[in-house]
Amino acid sequence: MDKSILGRISDIQHFSIHDGPGIRSSVFLKGCNLRCLWCHNPENILSRGQELSFVPSRCIFCGYCFRACPNGCHSIVNNEHKIDWDKCTRCGRCATECYSKALTVVGRTISAQEVVDEISRDEIFYETSGGGITLSGGEPMLQPEFVKNILALCKQRGIHTALETCAVYDYGKLDGIRENVDLFLVDYKATGAQAYKECTSADNHFVLENLQKLHDDGFNVLIRCPIIPGKNDTPEHFKKIAELTRTYPNFIGAELLPYHRLGVSKIDRFGLDNQLPHREFVTPDKDTVRRWVDTVRRYGGRLVNED
């Protein structure tokens, strides 16, 4: 075990209640091998250590960032503060001079031990709620040694561990890791090779193979299914979700995750237009979500969604 091994994260979210059982600390790792059309965390697509965040409504036009930026990325166009993101190296110098916090730096390089030290402050909440740590992203398994050491350190302390993953990689990559994972949260994004490729720019065969192997090896798995109106809310997809929960009876089941638009605002905030296109998907209402849940259950699926 190497406590000092370094990794790149965007955030550690404390008191999370949506990334596994109980109250959790969710660690969001940088880097992703997918390009989902509806990406909720586009700031984690790239593996670089930090991103520059810009919220124009907070800008007071003080001009300090103009003088601090070494690449001349900032300008005023039609009384609006603009950033030339193609020039920006995300050095963060402008953010250090931003009094109003319109400009901030998101992301850092951190050691495995530092991650565990930070999340361990929440141990009292884990103990009372049955919570723990969840490694998310991006895709955590793009930093396997970092993940391996965080999980090993957590298990030494008796902290419940969850790994949220797209599972688009060879199963052998989990060697030395899966033994310290109490719960796998496996994303299942689309049904059929063509649909999966269209939605994520990746091949789906790894996902299906890894679900089979995780089940055969006796691991706890919750299948998480983001549902996006007009894209994957199809009878074929709902039927396959139900089928997976029947095929793998030892899994906890599946969870439907209705689309939300937080990722769209993040694309603007982090200047990621060239990494992920804007998509005008619509957040579904409660009646629509209820119909989705009823449909999967009608096909015989086991869902953890509340009615």
Side-chain angles (χ1 to χ4, degrees):
M1 185 191 314
D2 185 354
K3 300 178 182 180
S4 64
I5 191 166
L6 299 177
R8 295 172 299 279
I9 69 171
S10 64
D11 190 22
I12 297 179
Q13 180 179 318
H14 300 273
F15 306 106
S16 173
I17 59 172
H18 299 295
D19 297 316
I23 297 172
R24 311 191 69 79
S25 299
S26 296
V27 183
F28 294 90
L29 280 70
K30 296 278 288 175
C32 191
N33 53 339
L34 305 187
R35 295 295 182 270
C36 299
L37 297 178
W38 54 81
C39 180
H40 291 160
N41 295 312
E43 72 274 23
N44 290 325
I45 288 177
L46 302 180
S47 61
R48 60 193 176 202
Q50 63 185 31
E51 302 293 341
L52 181 67
S53 167
F54 177 48
V55 181
S57 62
R58 296 179 183 171
C59 179
I60 59 175
F61 298 93
C62 66
Y64 290 133
C65 60
F66 286 64
R67 294 191 288 271
C69 178
N71 299 311
C73 299
H74 300 267
S75 62
I76 300 295
V77 179
N78 295 327
N79 294 319
E80 293 184 12
H81 183 169
K82 298 291 186 180
I83 297 177
D84 187 335
W85 292 103
D86 291 332
K87 289 183 181 180
C88 181
T89 61
R90 277 67 175 181
C91 69
R93 293 183 190 176
C94 58
T96 63
E97 300 296 327
C98 184
Y99 175 79
S100 66
K101 301 301 181 184
L103 293 159
T104 55
V105 168
V106 174
R108 53 180 158 146
T109 299
I110 188 173
S111 72
Q113 184 64 62
E114 287 172 326
V115 170
V116 177
D117 288 344
E118 182 169 338
I119 66 101
S120 65
R121 301 170 193 165
D122 298 332
E123 281 187 276
I124 183 63
F125 301 106
Y126 308 154
E127 293 169 2
T128 57
S129 70
I133 184 177
T134 298
L135 300 184
S136 186
E139 172 50 57
M141 289 305 297
L142 291 188
Q143 301 185 56
E145 288 302 311
F146 187 50
V147 167
K148 178 180 178 180
N149 284 276
I150 291 173
L151 294 175
L153 288 167
C154 285
K155 295 313 292 181
Q156 280 189 345
R157 298 185 66 100
I159 297 174
H160 183 277
T161 60
L163 178 66
E164 182 173 14
T165 177
C166 68
V168 181
Y169 44 79
D170 185 87
Y171 191 66
K173 197 166 188 176
L174 289 169
D175 290 349
I177 291 176
R178 55 181 173 266
E179 295 82 1
N180 285 324
V181 178
D182 293 310
L183 173 65
F184 284 90
L185 303 171
V186 178
D187 297 335
Y188 182 70
K189 299 173 183 288
T191 293
Q194 182 176 346
Y196 197 90
K197 185 80 171 180
E198 178 184 342
C199 290
T200 70
S201 300
D203 194 322
N204 73 332
H205 78 275
F206 280 117
V207 184
L208 298 175
E209 289 177 5
N210 287 333
L211 284 172
Q212 179 72 60
K213 291 174 180 177
L214 287 169
H215 183 268
D216 292 346
D217 287 343
F219 288 100
N220 292 320
V221 175
L222 175 63
I223 303 172
R224 305 189 91 192
C225 309
I227 306 297
I228 289 71
K231 182 52 63 175
N232 65 354
D233 58 337
T234 64
E236 178 189 21
H237 189 45
F238 292 138
K239 186 178 294 186
K240 182 63 176 182
I241 292 170
E243 178 188 319
L244 288 172
T245 67
R246 298 195 309 272
T247 302
Y248 305 124
N250 295 330
F251 284 177
I252 295 169
E255 179 180 23
L256 304 189
L257 304 174
Y259 171 74
H260 61 72
R261 291 183 56 81
L262 179 60
V264 174
S265 64
K266 286 185 174 183
I267 292 172
D268 294 329
R269 177 182 159 198
F270 291 102
L272 295 172
D273 274 320
N274 61 340
Q275 298 297 327
L276 191 73
H278 286 274
R279 297 289 172 175
E280 296 303 321
F281 299 124
V282 177
T283 301
D285 58 31
K286 290 183 179 180
D287 288 340
T288 298
V289 175
R290 190 174 297 110
R291 285 197 298 272
W292 292 345
V293 170
D294 290 344
T295 299
V296 175
R297 286 178 173 158
R298 190 166 61 249
Y299 287 131
R302 291 181 295 107
L303 292 179
V304 301
N305 292 73
E306 296 180 0
D307 292 323

